[in-house]
Amino acid sequence: MSNRSVPAADAARPSERPRPRKRSAQVDGSRTWFWEYGDQDAATTIVLVHGFRGDHHGLEPIAARLQEFRVIVPDLPGFGDSEPLEKTHDIDGYAAWLQGFLAVVAPAGRFVLLGHSFGSIVVSAMLARQASDDAKGPRPDLVVLVNPIGAPALKGPRAVFTGLAIFYYWLGATLPERLGFGLLRNALIVRVMSEAMAKTKDRPLRRWIHDQHARYFSAFASRGVVLEAFRASVSHDVSEYASSIGVPVLLIAADRDDITPLQAQHRLQTLFPDARLHVVHDVGHLVHYEAPDDAADSIRGFLAEHGPDAPAQHTGDGLDDAAGEPA
């Protein structure tokens, strides 16, 4: 039964489940905060990587529906609670960070890596990096990409809108600090973006989506960080890296996604050595908000097809627990 109409906190934090454990790790000189959900002794660990300008809250509705697994959701560097990178926030910087983060949290047993939106580019770039330099560290057994960015943003029919967005972020970074922050965190602009991406007609769910964006879409460390990350998000796409990803891949795409059209997702599927495409209908770029049950069910089915591994003890050197209540 679909929970698309489940309102507000119930969609992300069901009352019957434990609250997540907030922890942190030092990765390449900066501190990354992450949240652990589900069964900490599970045979499968799933690491979820969120999209541009968000934080771990965006993927919490999916994490909440995968409680039989160990689920880890970090805030990307420079967003949410995580500190910025000491290097440039380009795709190479984020890929290197993810590789380092995985080495620290050390997922044991079966390891599944999931990326949403911009997170799909970060995940794919890291996997291509692992394949090219034969680097050590945890390598996923399975990969899931939700609303993957499957085509170049600077080409095609959306290039004009991308150009306007580039100007917006450039202006926000070059104006005097107060004006620049005001522009980048402008509540009206965030609401217009949210209205454009939300496809549901369910009013309680739509209100909750707008509230989530209002709360978490402007939690970035600096204007420079958000400009660098935006440039990374529009300068690369998953199709660049697909051919080098040899593990089985599940693509979860939506038929009303305004960022990557479904036709491009079908083409993207053909670029992987082993990929399947699950299409969510009547949803756009917010599968994680509008159809978390559908996404979780397709992930669970994908994992079941590839069989469980034996339970393993999970370790992670250099991890710190947060003091007080989880965020």
Side-chain angles (χ1 to χ4, degrees):
M1 180 178 178
S2 175
N3 283 340
R4 291 186 186 183
S5 61
V6 173
D10 286 345
R13 294 183 185 274
S15 60
E16 66 271 12
R17 73 170 180 85
R19 296 181 67 188
R21 180 185 184 188
K22 183 179 181 181
R23 307 186 73 186
S24 71
Q26 199 76 10
V27 183
D28 292 338
S30 62
R31 186 159 294 279
T32 294
W33 287 93
F34 64 97
W35 285 256
E36 291 182 330
Y37 302 79
D39 182 358
Q40 299 306 299
D41 296 319
T44 297
T45 295
I46 310 177
V47 176
L48 279 57
V49 182
H50 67 76
F52 174 67
R53 276 191 71 157
D55 65 13
H56 72 281
H57 290 95
L59 292 177
E60 197 167 59
I62 294 178
R65 288 161 170 81
L66 296 172
Q67 292 298 290
E68 68 268 39
F69 307 111
R70 181 193 186 209
V71 181
I72 296 174
V73 191
D75 283 349
L76 282 173
F79 294 90
D81 289 353
S82 291
E83 295 176 352
L85 297 172
E86 292 189 341
K87 60 188 80 172
T88 304
H89 295 77
D90 56 15
I91 199 63
D92 289 334
Y94 277 115
W97 161 81
L98 180 57
Q99 192 169 343
F101 174 73
L102 295 175
V104 174
V105 298
R110 181 170 58 170
F111 167 34
V112 181
L113 184 58
L114 180 150
H116 170 256
S117 190
F118 175 53
S120 72
I121 307 176
V122 174
V123 164
S124 299
M126 188 219 69
L127 294 172
R129 176 189 177 98
Q130 285 186 329
S132 65
D133 64 12
D134 197 28
K136 297 180 180 179
R139 294 172 182 256
D141 301 291
L142 301 170
V143 171
V144 180
L145 304 179
V146 182
N147 290 118
I149 308 300
L154 298 175
K155 299 179 181 179
R158 290 165 176 76
V160 172
F161 296 102
T162 301
L164 291 173
I166 290 173
F167 176 73
Y168 164 71
Y169 283 104
W170 172 83
L171 188 62
T174 55
L175 284 171
E177 184 173 0
R178 183 176 178 181
L179 291 175
F181 266 116
L183 177 65
L184 292 173
R185 291 173 169 162
N186 184 275
L188 179 59
I189 294 176
V190 171
R191 180 57 178 264
V192 169
M193 174 280 306
S194 187
E195 290 282 0
M197 289 200 294
K199 305 302 181 185
T200 180
K201 291 183 171 64
D202 186 290
R203 290 185 178 181
L205 178 57
R206 198 173 183 93
R207 283 196 299 271
W208 179 69
I209 290 170
H210 298 330
D211 176 72
Q212 293 292 289
H213 284 139
R215 287 173 182 267
Y216 307 119
F217 201 65
S218 297
F220 48 83
S222 71
R223 297 181 297 164
V225 165
V226 77
L227 176 62
E228 289 176 356
F230 176 74
R231 285 174 173 165
S233 73
V234 299
S235 300
H236 300 274
D237 67 273
V238 175
S239 68
E240 296 176 44
Y241 312 107
S243 63
S244 63
I245 300 174
V247 300
V249 177
L250 171 65
L251 305 175
I252 302 177
D255 62 354
R256 298 182 64 190
D257 192 341
D258 295 321
I259 295 179
T260 301
L262 189 57
Q263 181 180 5
Q265 302 288 19
H266 281 287
R267 177 182 177 274
L268 178 64
Q269 180 188 4
T270 67
L271 302 180
F272 290 92
D274 181 3
R276 65 187 62 196
L277 175 64
H278 174 75
V279 179
V280 184
H281 296 281
D282 300 320
V283 175
H285 199 66
L286 304 180
V287 164
H288 56 308
Y289 284 153
E290 295 188 341
D293 283 303
D294 195 322
D297 287 346
S298 62
I299 293 167
R300 189 176 289 109
F302 181 59
L303 269 60
E305 289 177 14
H306 292 276
D309 283 346
Q313 294 296 319
H314 302 290
T315 62
D317 294 333
L319 302 182
D320 298 320
D321 292 331
E325 289 295 314

